PDB file of all heavy atoms in Angstrom:
ATOM      1  N   GLY C1209      29.462 -91.577-106.325  1.00 94.00           N
ATOM      2  CA  GLY C1209      30.400 -92.628-106.226  1.00 94.00           C
ATOM      3  C   GLY C1209      30.506 -93.219-104.766  1.00 94.00           C
ATOM      4  O   GLY C1209      31.138 -94.264-104.614  1.00 94.00           O
ATOM      5  N   HIS C1210      29.821 -92.690-103.806  1.00 95.00           N
ATOM      6  CA  HIS C1210      29.874 -93.279-102.448  1.00 95.00           C
ATOM      7  C   HIS C1210      28.636 -93.988-102.158  1.00 95.00           C
ATOM      8  O   HIS C1210      27.516 -93.549-102.416  1.00 95.00           O
ATOM      9  CB  HIS C1210      30.003 -92.127-101.417  1.00 95.00           C
ATOM     10  CG  HIS C1210      31.206 -91.270-101.658  1.00 95.00           C
ATOM     11  ND1 HIS C1210      32.494 -91.590-101.455  1.00 95.00           N
ATOM     12  CD2 HIS C1210      31.242 -89.983-102.052  1.00 95.00           C
ATOM     13  CE1 HIS C1210      33.239 -90.620-101.708  1.00 95.00           C
ATOM     14  NE2 HIS C1210      32.554 -89.581-102.078  1.00 95.00           N
ATOM     15  N   SER C1211      28.851 -95.309-101.731  1.00 95.00           N
ATOM     16  CA  SER C1211      27.621 -96.059-101.357  1.00 95.00           C
ATOM     17  C   SER C1211      27.026 -95.507-100.145  1.00 95.00           C
ATOM     18  O   SER C1211      27.699 -95.194 -99.151  1.00 95.00           O
ATOM     19  CB  SER C1211      28.131 -97.532-101.071  1.00 95.00           C
ATOM     20  OG  SER C1211      27.034 -98.180-100.355  1.00 95.00           O
ATOM     21  N   ILE C1212      25.689 -95.370-100.121  1.00 93.00           N
ATOM     22  CA  ILE C1212      24.962 -94.736 -98.955  1.00 93.00           C
ATOM     23  C   ILE C1212      25.012 -95.826 -97.839  1.00 93.00           C
ATOM     24  O   ILE C1212      24.795 -95.444 -96.601  1.00 93.00           O
ATOM     25  CB  ILE C1212      23.569 -94.424 -99.293  1.00 93.00           C
ATOM     26  CG1 ILE C1212      22.935 -93.464 -98.222  1.00 93.00           C
ATOM     27  CG2 ILE C1212      22.674 -95.655 -99.451  1.00 93.00           C
ATOM     28  CD1 ILE C1212      23.580 -92.095 -98.132  1.00 93.00           C
ATOM     29  N   ARG C1213      25.224 -97.041 -98.113  1.00 91.00           N
ATOM     30  CA  ARG C1213      25.341 -98.041 -97.007  1.00 91.00           C
ATOM     31  C   ARG C1213      26.701 -98.218 -96.379  1.00 91.00           C
ATOM     32  O   ARG C1213      26.766 -98.277 -95.159  1.00 91.00           O
ATOM     33  CB  ARG C1213      24.845 -99.414 -97.541  1.00 91.00           C
ATOM     34  CG  ARG C1213      23.399 -99.574 -97.646  1.00 91.00           C
ATOM     35  CD  ARG C1213      22.946-100.931 -97.715  1.00 91.00           C
ATOM     36  NE  ARG C1213      23.343-101.660 -98.860  1.00 91.00           N
ATOM     37  CZ  ARG C1213      23.211-102.973 -98.969  1.00 91.00           C
ATOM     38  NH1 ARG C1213      22.748-103.771 -98.034  1.00 91.00           N
ATOM     39  NH2 ARG C1213      23.682-103.519-100.154  1.00 91.00           N
ATOM     40  N   THR C1214      27.702 -98.145 -97.190  1.00 92.00           N
ATOM     41  CA  THR C1214      29.057 -98.357 -96.676  1.00 92.00           C
ATOM     42  C   THR C1214      29.801 -97.094 -96.442  1.00 92.00           C
ATOM     43  O   THR C1214      30.734 -97.044 -95.647  1.00 92.00           O
ATOM     44  CB  THR C1214      29.869 -99.323 -97.531  1.00 92.00           C
ATOM     45  OG1 THR C1214      29.859 -98.779 -98.819  1.00 92.00           O
ATOM     46  CG2 THR C1214      29.221-100.675 -97.613  1.00 92.00           C
ATOM     47  N   GLN C1215      29.397 -96.078 -97.090  1.00 93.00           N
ATOM     48  CA  GLN C1215      30.047 -94.758 -96.894  1.00 93.00           C
ATOM     49  C   GLN C1215      29.065 -93.643 -96.759  1.00 93.00           C
ATOM     50  O   GLN C1215      29.011 -92.613 -97.483  1.00 93.00           O
ATOM     51  CB  GLN C1215      30.864 -94.338 -98.174  1.00 93.00           C
ATOM     52  CG  GLN C1215      32.092 -95.415 -98.407  1.00 93.00           C
ATOM     53  CD  GLN C1215      32.782 -95.130 -99.837  1.00 93.00           C
ATOM     54  OE1 GLN C1215      32.099 -95.229-100.846  1.00 93.00           O
ATOM     55  NE2 GLN C1215      34.063 -94.705 -99.748  1.00 93.00           N
ATOM     56  N   PRO C1216      28.204 -93.764 -95.712  1.00 92.00           N
ATOM     57  CA  PRO C1216      27.111 -92.860 -95.596  1.00 92.00           C
ATOM     58  C   PRO C1216      27.522 -91.420 -95.286  1.00 92.00           C
ATOM     59  O   PRO C1216      26.981 -90.480 -95.790  1.00 92.00           O
ATOM     60  CB  PRO C1216      26.380 -93.396 -94.407  1.00 92.00           C
ATOM     61  CG  PRO C1216      27.271 -94.280 -93.621  1.00 92.00           C
ATOM     62  CD  PRO C1216      28.188 -94.723 -94.664  1.00 92.00           C
ATOM     63  N   VAL C1217      28.608 -91.166 -94.530  1.00 93.00           N
ATOM     64  CA  VAL C1217      29.059 -89.899 -94.151  1.00 93.00           C
ATOM     65  C   VAL C1217      29.473 -89.119 -95.412  1.00 93.00           C
ATOM     66  O   VAL C1217      29.115 -88.031 -95.646  1.00 93.00           O
ATOM     67  CB  VAL C1217      30.163 -89.866 -93.093  1.00 93.00           C
ATOM     68  CG1 VAL C1217      30.642 -88.518 -92.858  1.00 93.00           C
ATOM     69  CG2 VAL C1217      29.590 -90.490 -91.768  1.00 93.00           C
ATOM     70  N   GLU C1218      30.310 -89.821 -96.222  1.00 92.00           N
ATOM     71  CA  GLU C1218      30.802 -89.233 -97.421  1.00 92.00           C
ATOM     72  C   GLU C1218      29.722 -88.908 -98.421  1.00 92.00           C
ATOM     73  O   GLU C1218      29.714 -87.778 -99.116  1.00 92.00           O
ATOM     74  CB  GLU C1218      31.847 -90.153 -98.182  1.00 92.00           C
ATOM     75  CG  GLU C1218      33.167 -90.339 -97.437  1.00 92.00           C
ATOM     76  CD  GLU C1218      32.945 -91.376 -96.306  1.00 92.00           C
ATOM     77  OE1 GLU C1218      31.991 -91.911 -96.035  1.00 92.00           O
ATOM     78  OE2 GLU C1218      34.087 -91.706 -95.651  1.00 92.00           O
ATOM     79  N   ALA C1219      28.703 -89.834 -98.470  1.00 94.00           N
ATOM     80  CA  ALA C1219      27.611 -89.548 -99.372  1.00 94.00           C
ATOM     81  C   ALA C1219      26.773 -88.386 -98.924  1.00 94.00           C
ATOM     82  O   ALA C1219      26.322 -87.532 -99.645  1.00 94.00           O
ATOM     83  CB  ALA C1219      26.691 -90.825 -99.538  1.00 94.00           C
ATOM     84  N   LYS C1220      26.430 -88.356 -97.661  1.00 94.00           N
ATOM     85  CA  LYS C1220      25.569 -87.290 -97.031  1.00 94.00           C
ATOM     86  C   LYS C1220      26.302 -85.972 -97.183  1.00 94.00           C
ATOM     87  O   LYS C1220      25.556 -84.834 -97.208  1.00 94.00           O
ATOM     88  CB  LYS C1220      25.277 -87.602 -95.664  1.00 94.00           C
ATOM     89  CG  LYS C1220      24.293 -88.774 -95.481  1.00 94.00           C
ATOM     90  CD  LYS C1220      24.162 -89.120 -94.063  1.00 94.00           C
ATOM     91  CE  LYS C1220      23.278 -90.436 -93.849  1.00 94.00           C
ATOM     92  NZ  LYS C1220      23.282 -90.892 -92.436  1.00 94.00           N
ATOM     93  N   ARG C1221      27.590 -85.936 -97.129  1.00 94.00           N
ATOM     94  CA  ARG C1221      28.332 -84.609 -97.213  1.00 94.00           C
ATOM     95  C   ARG C1221      28.063 -83.804 -98.447  1.00 94.00           C
ATOM     96  O   ARG C1221      28.145 -82.710 -98.524  1.00 94.00           O
ATOM     97  CB  ARG C1221      29.821 -84.894 -97.022  1.00 94.00           C
ATOM     98  CG  ARG C1221      30.597 -83.723 -96.667  1.00 94.00           C
ATOM     99  CD  ARG C1221      31.955 -83.987 -96.059  1.00 94.00           C
ATOM    100  NE  ARG C1221      31.958 -84.574 -94.763  1.00 94.00           N
ATOM    101  CZ  ARG C1221      31.647 -83.869 -93.656  1.00 94.00           C
ATOM    102  NH1 ARG C1221      31.298 -82.619 -93.679  1.00 94.00           N
ATOM    103  NH2 ARG C1221      31.719 -84.443 -92.488  1.00 94.00           N
ATOM    104  N   ILE C1222      27.713 -84.634 -99.556  1.00 95.00           N
ATOM    105  CA  ILE C1222      27.610 -83.922-100.843  1.00 95.00           C
ATOM    106  C   ILE C1222      26.130 -83.818-101.293  1.00 95.00           C
ATOM    107  O   ILE C1222      25.832 -83.388-102.308  1.00 95.00           O
ATOM    108  CB  ILE C1222      28.386 -84.634-102.011  1.00 95.00           C
ATOM    109  CG1 ILE C1222      27.920 -86.002-102.112  1.00 95.00           C
ATOM    110  CG2 ILE C1222      29.868 -84.546-101.722  1.00 95.00           C
ATOM    111  CD1 ILE C1222      28.618 -86.731-103.339  1.00 95.00           C
ATOM    112  N   MET C1223      25.181 -84.169-100.418  1.00 94.00           N
ATOM    113  CA  MET C1223      23.802 -83.992-100.693  1.00 94.00           C
ATOM    114  C   MET C1223      22.952 -83.377 -99.524  1.00 94.00           C
ATOM    115  O   MET C1223      23.449 -83.212 -98.423  1.00 94.00           O
ATOM    116  CB  MET C1223      23.169 -85.303-101.068  1.00 94.00           C
ATOM    117  CG  MET C1223      22.970 -86.332 -99.948  1.00 94.00           C
ATOM    118  SD  MET C1223      22.032 -87.706-100.460  1.00 94.00           S
ATOM    119  CE  MET C1223      22.597 -89.006 -99.406  1.00 94.00           C
ATOM    120  N   ALA C1224      21.769 -82.879 -99.961  1.00 95.00           N
ATOM    121  CA  ALA C1224      20.914 -82.346 -98.981  1.00 95.00           C
ATOM    122  C   ALA C1224      19.533 -82.930 -99.199  1.00 95.00           C
ATOM    123  O   ALA C1224      19.028 -83.134-100.388  1.00 95.00           O
ATOM    124  CB  ALA C1224      20.871 -80.867 -99.074  1.00 95.00           C
ATOM    125  N   PHE C1225      18.842 -83.317 -98.075  1.00 95.00           N
ATOM    126  CA  PHE C1225      17.624 -83.985 -98.205  1.00 95.00           C
ATOM    127  C   PHE C1225      16.536 -83.220 -97.385  1.00 95.00           C
ATOM    128  O   PHE C1225      16.762 -82.717 -96.321  1.00 95.00           O
ATOM    129  CB  PHE C1225      17.670 -85.413 -97.630  1.00 95.00           C
ATOM    130  CG  PHE C1225      16.412 -86.087 -97.417  1.00 95.00           C
ATOM    131  CD1 PHE C1225      15.527 -86.471 -98.370  1.00 95.00           C
ATOM    132  CD2 PHE C1225      15.998 -86.396 -96.119  1.00 95.00           C
ATOM    133  CE1 PHE C1225      14.299 -87.118 -98.165  1.00 95.00           C
ATOM    134  CE2 PHE C1225      14.856 -87.064 -95.849  1.00 95.00           C
ATOM    135  CZ  PHE C1225      14.042 -87.384 -96.867  1.00 95.00           C
TER     136      PHE C1225
END
Side-chain angles (χ1 to χ4, degrees):
Chain C
H1210 303 291
S1211 164
I1212 195 66
R1213 280 201 292 169
T1214 58
Q1215 297 172 295
V1217 174
E1218 291 83 354
K1220 289 172 186 176
R1221 197 165 285 290
I1222 57 172
M1223 69 171 154
F1225 167 64

